[in-house]
Amino acid sequence: QVQLVESGGGSVQAGGSLSLSCAASGFTNSPKSMGWFRQAPGKELEGVAAILYRLGWTYYANSVKDRFTISLDKAKSMVYLQINSLRPEDAAMYYCAAAMDRISPLVDSAYDYWGQGTQVTVSS
């Protein structure tokens, strides 16, 4: 079975940095893309970053462009999200996801498998 497990969340002061990891296992076919999504209480699920598995092209929400970086290590079956210059509005539960059949990089309905999430808190 496919399993995605996020780690690396925590509490960071505004302006700080954080690196999130997603360990993937159980794929019988390579995914089309891997993505990071986030959701804060009372807010919609938001696509943050995505990477095409085969070509490595990356996509970012405008709100995180130039601050977040998604990367993929195929050999280790890991996807990462480097978060810099954290803002209070970045606080959310961050989810790793895999899309198997469709490439719509930041659209949650295109993704088939999801991790349990890792919490990012920005201290006041």
Side-chain angles (χ1 to χ4, degrees):
Q1 61 178 12
V2 173
Q3 183 172 240
L4 304 176
V5 180
E6 302 96 332
S7 61
S11 182
V12 183
Q13 291 187 5
S17 297
L18 202 61
S19 183
L20 307 183
S21 300
C22 174
S25 63
F27 289 121
T28 56
N29 298 306
S30 297
K32 296 293 179 63
S33 67
M34 300 292 296
W36 285 96
F37 294 77
R38 67 186 183 187
Q39 187 169 33
K43 298 182 180 179
E44 297 180 18
L45 187 66
E46 176 187 18
V48 172
I51 183 167
L52 301 191
Y53 189 86
R54 295 187 183 276
L55 296 179
W57 297 348
T58 58
Y59 305 83
Y60 298 95
N62 289 335
S63 60
V64 308
K65 188 177 181 180
D66 300 324
R67 299 189 299 116
F68 290 20
T69 303
I70 187 171
S71 60
L72 175 68
D73 187 333
K74 295 179 181 178
K76 295 183 178 180
S77 297
M78 297 285 292
V79 61
Y80 306 95
L81 186 68
Q82 178 65 44
I83 305 174
N84 297 326
S85 302
L86 270 163
R87 302 170 180 172
E89 56 263 38
D90 294 322
M93 184 72 74
Y94 282 72
Y95 298 93
C96 176
M100 306 305 297
D101 303 311
R102 177 182 173 189
I103 300 178
S104 293
L106 302 179
V107 178
D108 61 293
S109 61
Y111 288 78
D112 303 287
Y113 300 104
W114 295 80
Q116 83 291 345
T118 186
Q119 184 71 49
V120 173
T121 302
V122 182
S123 60
S124 60

